[in-house]
Amino acid sequence: MVKIAILGYGTVGSGVVKVISENQALIDKKAGEEIRVKYVLDLRDFPGDPVQDILVHDYDTILNDSEVKVVVETMGGLNPAYDFTKAALLKGKSVCTSNKELVAAHGSEFLSIAREKQVNYLFEASCGGGIPIIRPLISSSTADEIDEVSGILNGTTNFILTEMAEKGSDFQDVLKEAQQLGYAEKNPEADVEGYDACRKIAILSSLAFGHTVHYEDIETEGITHISPEDIAFAKELNASVKLLASAYWEEVEGKRNYYAMVAPFLVAKGHPLCQVNGVFNAVFVHGNMVGDTLFYGSGAGSLPTASAVVGDVVDVVKHLGKTIYICWDPDRLSLESNKNAKRAFFVRVSSDKLKEAETHFRASKTLYLKSLPHEAGLVTAVMPEGEFMELVEKFGGVESYIRINH
Ligand code: HSE
């Protein structure tokens, strides 16, 4: 029998308890061992909840119990999760986590400690909730040179953008609705400003490329400025607005140039990511042998995320005494400026400036909406982002612009 301890009885931690108790027989069979929760650590008490019988408030109880082989860290945040994780690994306990903030900041460091101690640090639940994406990257796609990982990695913003498109509502109203439904946090900043998706693409690209893509180096733009008018024009273009997180490399004269970005993009209706709606996530991976692959599913929520955490616990139990090698070197990749990335842009201008704008941005297409008679939209020529930004500044009076996904 393998005993585990769970740090934090919040949305994900309570989901882990539920998944293990509801699917106990099946999980034991698949792990080839009985897996039992010995402790749950939380500052709070939960009177009336059976978890109260195994609840502890002092982390040392877990740390000093040699029977506990696996620590599940579902506290979130950097502190005290960093100290707790490090202490568990140094004590020879494996750690499974859903904490993307901590993995993005210290994943490589923890993997190295885990290797030294012959234990495991696994974090399937840190990206894409219940979608299996980390394990495919570290186990299934090992024959491939991966040159792109990108997708929709945040359920809250995808829900908001989907609702805005379906109801024509504005951002603030849909955000309030999302908060009432429990899809958005009271403080929604991490989601709506793109910081959450940024941590996730940092983790996925570090695994895909084998070196550290640091989240602080990733240019990140959220969705707070997206308006119902932008979305109406997007529909006219047969596209949807999606918050995309992407990382890729291109070889130029024998040198690999790495790019990463989180920003709203217009995604054409025919593209698979355009069909990903509501709180769902999808991750696209391209390898030089396998070609295109797409992973889709519930990107958030208690049980989907807990399912991924428990899957990691089962993997740890199957590998007791052995480290599952994960290639993520600590050296920090130097990213190219997105100013060099070439793409087309969608631009909104007032109708009286349209003629001038068409020439200025070398427009390939012009759009009008009956509901917005004083405005027009246009699609620019493909150009480096840096050049586009200079054109925007010189033009003055651009109402809004959105990048177009190619
Ligand atoms: N806030 C995150 C999201 C939760 O909306 O996707 C899952 O990481």
Side-chain angles (χ1 to χ4, degrees), residues 98 100 125-129 153-158 183-185 190-191 196 200 279 281 299-301 305:
S98 57
K100 60 235 156 184
S126 64
C127 300
L153 293 176
N154 183 267
T156 305
T157 46
N158 205 43
Y183 292 146
E185 307 272 344
D191 291 315
D196 174 84
K200 292 169 178 167
V279 289
N281 284 193
T305 311

Side-chain angles (χ1 to χ4, degrees), residues 132-133 136-137 141 144-151 204 208 247 282-288 290-295:
I133 179 61
L137 280 177
S141 307
D144 272 73
E145 181 82 84
I146 296 171
D147 56 20
E148 180 178 353
V149 50
S150 57
L204 293 178
V283 191
F284 167 85
V285 179
H286 183 266
N288 67 340
V290 70
D292 293 343
T293 54
L294 186 66
F295 302 83

Side-chain angles (χ1 to χ4, degrees), residues 60-196:
D60 283 344
T61 312
I62 293 169
L63 208 54
N64 296 326
D65 186 334
S66 59
E67 236 192 358
V68 173
K69 300 286 182 225
V70 189
V71 169
V72 167
E73 187 268 297
T74 49
M75 317 171 77
L78 291 179
N79 291 303
Y82 174 84
D83 290 338
F84 286 6
T85 299
K86 193 166 180 176
L89 293 170
L90 288 171
K91 274 265 182 189
K93 299 178 195 299
S94 290
V95 176
C96 302
T97 186
S98 57
N99 187 339
K100 60 235 156 184
E101 212 182 330
L102 189 62
V103 178
H106 298 285
S108 170
E109 175 190 346
F110 290 148
L111 285 172
S112 150
I113 302 174
R115 272 197 291 272
E116 266 167 43
K117 296 287 170 185
Q118 287 178 307
V119 292
N120 283 289
Y121 181 62
L122 299 182
F123 40 89
E124 180 62 70
S126 64
C127 300
I131 306 174
I133 179 61
I134 304 275
R135 198 161 284 105
L137 280 177
I138 62 172
S139 299
S140 318
S141 307
T142 42
D144 272 73
E145 181 82 84
I146 296 171
D147 56 20
E148 180 178 353
V149 50
S150 57
I152 295 170
L153 293 176
N154 183 267
T156 305
T157 46
N158 205 43
F159 173 83
I160 292 173
L161 291 169
T162 305
E163 287 288 293
M164 286 176 74
E166 281 173 5
K167 299 186 175 154
S169 325
D170 75 17
F171 172 79
Q172 286 301 341
D173 291 344
V174 180
L175 173 61
K176 258 183 228 144
E177 185 196 337
Q179 284 169 320
Q180 277 155 12
L181 289 168
Y183 292 146
E185 307 272 344
K186 250 193 224 149
N187 178 356
E189 194 187 5
D191 291 315
V192 299
E193 297 294 356
Y195 308 149
D196 174 84

